PDB file of all heavy atoms in Angstrom:
ATOM      1  N   SER A  17      -9.422 -13.209 -15.658  1.00  0.00           N
ATOM      2  CA  SER A  17      -7.976 -13.200 -15.406  1.00  0.00           C
ATOM      3  C   SER A  17      -7.510 -11.815 -15.008  1.00  0.00           C
ATOM      4  O   SER A  17      -6.737 -11.656 -14.039  1.00  0.00           O
ATOM      5  CB  SER A  17      -7.213 -13.689 -16.670  1.00  0.00           C
ATOM      6  OG  SER A  17      -5.830 -13.590 -16.433  1.00  0.00           O
ATOM      7  N   ASP A  18      -7.984 -10.796 -15.707  1.00  0.00           N
ATOM      8  CA  ASP A  18      -7.606  -9.401 -15.390  1.00  0.00           C
ATOM      9  C   ASP A  18      -8.092  -9.040 -13.977  1.00  0.00           C
ATOM     10  O   ASP A  18      -7.360  -8.416 -13.211  1.00  0.00           O
ATOM     11  CB  ASP A  18      -8.176  -8.419 -16.410  1.00  0.00           C
ATOM     12  CG  ASP A  18      -7.532  -8.541 -17.791  1.00  0.00           C
ATOM     13  OD1 ASP A  18      -6.434  -9.161 -17.848  1.00  0.00           O
ATOM     14  OD2 ASP A  18      -8.125  -8.054 -18.737  1.00  0.00           O
ATOM     15  N   LEU A  19      -9.312  -9.437 -13.664  1.00  0.00           N
ATOM     16  CA  LEU A  19      -9.864  -9.154 -12.355  1.00  0.00           C
ATOM     17  C   LEU A  19      -9.039  -9.847 -11.238  1.00  0.00           C
ATOM     18  O   LEU A  19      -8.756  -9.253 -10.209  1.00  0.00           O
ATOM     19  CB  LEU A  19     -11.329  -9.618 -12.280  1.00  0.00           C
ATOM     20  CG  LEU A  19     -12.077  -9.319 -10.998  1.00  0.00           C
ATOM     21  CD1 LEU A  19     -12.129  -7.861 -10.703  1.00  0.00           C
ATOM     22  CD2 LEU A  19     -13.489  -9.931 -11.076  1.00  0.00           C
ATOM     23  N   ALA A  20      -8.655 -11.079 -11.501  1.00  0.00           N
ATOM     24  CA  ALA A  20      -7.842 -11.823 -10.532  1.00  0.00           C
ATOM     25  C   ALA A  20      -6.496 -11.162 -10.315  1.00  0.00           C
ATOM     26  O   ALA A  20      -6.011 -11.049  -9.176  1.00  0.00           O
ATOM     27  CB  ALA A  20      -7.663 -13.243 -10.973  1.00  0.00           C
ATOM     28  N   HIS A  21      -5.883 -10.672 -11.395  1.00  0.00           N
ATOM     29  CA  HIS A  21      -4.602  -9.983 -11.279  1.00  0.00           C
ATOM     30  C   HIS A  21      -4.743  -8.687 -10.501  1.00  0.00           C
ATOM     31  O   HIS A  21      -3.882  -8.357  -9.671  1.00  0.00           O
ATOM     32  CB  HIS A  21      -4.003  -9.724 -12.663  1.00  0.00           C
ATOM     33  CG  HIS A  21      -3.470 -10.915 -13.334  1.00  0.00           C
ATOM     34  ND1 HIS A  21      -2.387 -11.632 -12.860  1.00  0.00           N
ATOM     35  CD2 HIS A  21      -3.881 -11.580 -14.431  1.00  0.00           C
ATOM     36  CE1 HIS A  21      -2.129 -12.628 -13.631  1.00  0.00           C
ATOM     37  NE2 HIS A  21      -3.039 -12.645 -14.631  1.00  0.00           N
ATOM     38  N   GLU A  22      -5.794  -7.924 -10.778  1.00  0.00           N
ATOM     39  CA  GLU A  22      -6.056  -6.694 -10.030  1.00  0.00           C
ATOM     40  C   GLU A  22      -6.207  -6.947  -8.543  1.00  0.00           C
ATOM     41  O   GLU A  22      -5.616  -6.251  -7.706  1.00  0.00           O
ATOM     42  CB  GLU A  22      -7.311  -6.016 -10.556  1.00  0.00           C
ATOM     43  CG  GLU A  22      -7.180  -5.333 -11.880  1.00  0.00           C
ATOM     44  CD  GLU A  22      -8.489  -4.730 -12.355  1.00  0.00           C
ATOM     45  OE1 GLU A  22      -9.321  -4.380 -11.505  1.00  0.00           O
ATOM     46  OE2 GLU A  22      -8.649  -4.586 -13.567  1.00  0.00           O
ATOM     47  N   LYS A  23      -6.994  -7.974  -8.205  1.00  0.00           N
ATOM     48  CA  LYS A  23      -7.223  -8.302  -6.784  1.00  0.00           C
ATOM     49  C   LYS A  23      -5.914  -8.742  -6.117  1.00  0.00           C
ATOM     50  O   LYS A  23      -5.658  -8.390  -4.985  1.00  0.00           O
ATOM     51  CB  LYS A  23      -8.294  -9.372  -6.664  1.00  0.00           C
ATOM     52  CG  LYS A  23      -9.677  -8.940  -7.060  1.00  0.00           C
ATOM     53  CD  LYS A  23     -10.169  -7.807  -6.160  1.00  0.00           C
ATOM     54  CE  LYS A  23     -11.551  -7.378  -6.553  1.00  0.00           C
ATOM     55  NZ  LYS A  23     -12.030  -6.263  -5.732  1.00  0.00           N
ATOM     56  N   ALA A  24      -5.112  -9.493  -6.846  1.00  0.00           N
ATOM     57  CA  ALA A  24      -3.837  -9.974  -6.300  1.00  0.00           C
ATOM     58  C   ALA A  24      -2.922  -8.789  -6.052  1.00  0.00           C
ATOM     59  O   ALA A  24      -2.225  -8.719  -5.009  1.00  0.00           O
ATOM     60  CB  ALA A  24      -3.191 -10.963  -7.248  1.00  0.00           C
ATOM     61  N   GLU A  25      -2.900  -7.809  -6.964  1.00  0.00           N
ATOM     62  CA  GLU A  25      -2.063  -6.616  -6.790  1.00  0.00           C
ATOM     63  C   GLU A  25      -2.523  -5.785  -5.615  1.00  0.00           C
ATOM     64  O   GLU A  25      -1.736  -5.303  -4.821  1.00  0.00           O
ATOM     65  CB  GLU A  25      -2.068  -5.799  -8.055  1.00  0.00           C
ATOM     66  CG  GLU A  25      -1.287  -6.407  -9.204  1.00  0.00           C
ATOM     67  CD  GLU A  25      -1.435  -5.633 -10.517  1.00  0.00           C
ATOM     68  OE1 GLU A  25      -2.091  -4.595 -10.525  1.00  0.00           O
ATOM     69  OE2 GLU A  25      -0.881  -6.106 -11.522  1.00  0.00           O
ATOM     70  N   GLN A  26      -3.864  -5.669  -5.462  1.00  0.00           N
ATOM     71  CA  GLN A  26      -4.407  -4.914  -4.331  1.00  0.00           C
ATOM     72  C   GLN A  26      -4.023  -5.607  -3.023  1.00  0.00           C
ATOM     73  O   GLN A  26      -3.661  -4.945  -2.055  1.00  0.00           O
ATOM     74  CB  GLN A  26      -5.929  -4.823  -4.436  1.00  0.00           C
ATOM     75  CG  GLN A  26      -6.420  -3.884  -5.511  1.00  0.00           C
ATOM     76  CD  GLN A  26      -7.910  -3.920  -5.648  1.00  0.00           C
ATOM     77  OE1 GLN A  26      -8.618  -4.699  -5.015  1.00  0.00           O
ATOM     78  NE2 GLN A  26      -8.452  -3.055  -6.519  1.00  0.00           N
ATOM     79  N   ARG A  27      -4.129  -6.904  -3.007  1.00  0.00           N
ATOM     80  CA  ARG A  27      -3.805  -7.692  -1.813  1.00  0.00           C
ATOM     81  C   ARG A  27      -2.313  -7.492  -1.473  1.00  0.00           C
ATOM     82  O   ARG A  27      -1.958  -7.330  -0.295  1.00  0.00           O
ATOM     83  CB  ARG A  27      -4.136  -9.164  -2.033  1.00  0.00           C
ATOM     84  CG  ARG A  27      -3.818 -10.040  -0.860  1.00  0.00           C
ATOM     85  CD  ARG A  27      -4.751  -9.799   0.276  1.00  0.00           C
ATOM     86  NE  ARG A  27      -4.461 -10.746   1.327  1.00  0.00           N
ATOM     87  CZ  ARG A  27      -4.689 -10.530   2.581  1.00  0.00           C
ATOM     88  NH1 ARG A  27      -5.309  -9.401   2.980  1.00  0.00           N
ATOM     89  NH2 ARG A  27      -4.393 -11.425   3.487  1.00  0.00           N
ATOM     90  N   GLU A  28      -1.453  -7.545  -2.488  1.00  0.00           N
ATOM     91  CA  GLU A  28      -0.027  -7.384  -2.276  1.00  0.00           C
ATOM     92  C   GLU A  28       0.291  -5.993  -1.695  1.00  0.00           C
ATOM     93  O   GLU A  28       1.062  -5.871  -0.775  1.00  0.00           O
ATOM     94  CB  GLU A  28       0.729  -7.573  -3.592  1.00  0.00           C
ATOM     95  CG  GLU A  28       2.226  -7.569  -3.440  1.00  0.00           C
ATOM     96  CD  GLU A  28       2.941  -7.862  -4.735  1.00  0.00           C
ATOM     97  OE1 GLU A  28       2.404  -8.654  -5.540  1.00  0.00           O
ATOM     98  OE2 GLU A  28       4.031  -7.306  -4.947  1.00  0.00           O
ATOM     99  N   GLU A  29      -0.359  -4.963  -2.219  1.00  0.00           N
ATOM    100  CA  GLU A  29      -0.153  -3.592  -1.697  1.00  0.00           C
ATOM    101  C   GLU A  29      -0.636  -3.481  -0.253  1.00  0.00           C
ATOM    102  O   GLU A  29       0.000  -2.857   0.571  1.00  0.00           O
ATOM    103  CB  GLU A  29      -0.858  -2.586  -2.584  1.00  0.00           C
ATOM    104  CG  GLU A  29      -0.223  -2.406  -3.942  1.00  0.00           C
ATOM    105  CD  GLU A  29       1.214  -1.925  -3.867  1.00  0.00           C
ATOM    106  OE1 GLU A  29       1.514  -1.021  -3.068  1.00  0.00           O
ATOM    107  OE2 GLU A  29       2.035  -2.466  -4.614  1.00  0.00           O
ATOM    108  N   THR A  30      -1.766  -4.148   0.015  1.00  0.00           N
ATOM    109  CA  THR A  30      -2.273  -4.125   1.413  1.00  0.00           C
ATOM    110  C   THR A  30      -1.309  -4.818   2.344  1.00  0.00           C
ATOM    111  O   THR A  30      -1.039  -4.305   3.451  1.00  0.00           O
ATOM    112  CB  THR A  30      -3.649  -4.854   1.460  1.00  0.00           C
ATOM    113  OG1 THR A  30      -4.563  -4.162   0.618  1.00  0.00           O
ATOM    114  CG2 THR A  30      -4.203  -4.883   2.871  1.00  0.00           C
ATOM    115  N   LEU A  31      -0.761  -5.928   1.941  1.00  0.00           N
ATOM    116  CA  LEU A  31       0.217  -6.662   2.782  1.00  0.00           C
ATOM    117  C   LEU A  31       1.497  -5.845   2.984  1.00  0.00           C
ATOM    118  O   LEU A  31       2.045  -5.840   4.083  1.00  0.00           O
ATOM    119  CB  LEU A  31       0.526  -8.016   2.170  1.00  0.00           C
ATOM    120  CG  LEU A  31      -0.611  -9.021   2.201  1.00  0.00           C
ATOM    121  CD1 LEU A  31      -0.229 -10.260   1.441  1.00  0.00           C
ATOM    122  CD2 LEU A  31      -1.003  -9.367   3.625  1.00  0.00           C
ATOM    123  N   LYS A  32       1.963  -5.153   1.936  1.00  0.00           N
ATOM    124  CA  LYS A  32       3.137  -4.300   2.071  1.00  0.00           C
ATOM    125  C   LYS A  32       2.897  -3.166   3.085  1.00  0.00           C
ATOM    126  O   LYS A  32       3.732  -2.857   3.911  1.00  0.00           O
ATOM    127  CB  LYS A  32       3.543  -3.699   0.723  1.00  0.00           C
ATOM    128  CG  LYS A  32       4.218  -4.679  -0.198  1.00  0.00           C
ATOM    129  CD  LYS A  32       4.565  -3.995  -1.509  1.00  0.00           C
ATOM    130  CE  LYS A  32       5.150  -4.964  -2.514  1.00  0.00           C
ATOM    131  NZ  LYS A  32       5.453  -4.307  -3.796  1.00  0.00           N
TER     132      LYS A  32
END
Side-chain angles (χ1 to χ4, degrees):
S17 177
D18 292 343
L19 182 61
H21 286 295
E22 285 178 26
K23 293 296 180 181
E25 288 173 4
Q26 288 175 355
R27 179 71 176 154
E28 186 175 327
E29 290 299 317
T30 300
L31 291 173
K32 285 180 184 178

